[in-house]
Amino acid sequence: MVQADAFDTLFDDFRLFLDEKGLRFDEGKIIDATFVPAPRQRNSREVNNIIKQGNGDTLWNAEKGDSEKEKKTKKAKKCHKDVDAR
């Protein structure tokens, strides 16, 4: 196909055919799917009960009177928790 210079023509025709059908494709990409161990975070029983009651989104919110360091700590902790997981 390359020697006959048909490769590009064939794919151009194929791309036009898909466009006419309302379909689209992009060039393929290889993505490394390596598993990386993540640290396990444990919740207290009290926190687990709050999550099970459906109120997990109220946990680790910054409160009035918190220092900037406490606010940052709570924000970082909250973004690492999955309060919807079961």
Side-chain angles (χ1 to χ4, degrees), residues 2-50:
V2 174
Q3 289 175 349
D5 199 29
F7 190 79
D8 290 333
T9 304
L10 179 64
F11 273 94
D12 289 341
D13 291 345
F14 182 61
R15 199 177 290 261
L16 284 173
F17 173 77
L18 290 177
D19 284 343
E20 290 171 0
K21 301 288 184 190
L23 302 171
R24 181 180 146 218
F25 75 95
D26 292 321
E27 293 183 25
K29 295 178 175 91
I30 297 175
I31 299 172
D32 182 11
T34 304
F35 287 99
V36 178
R40 292 188 176 138
Q41 297 184 11
R42 306 286 183 211
N43 294 327
S44 68
R45 288 179 190 220
E46 180 183 329
V47 169
N48 280 339
N49 287 333
I50 292 171

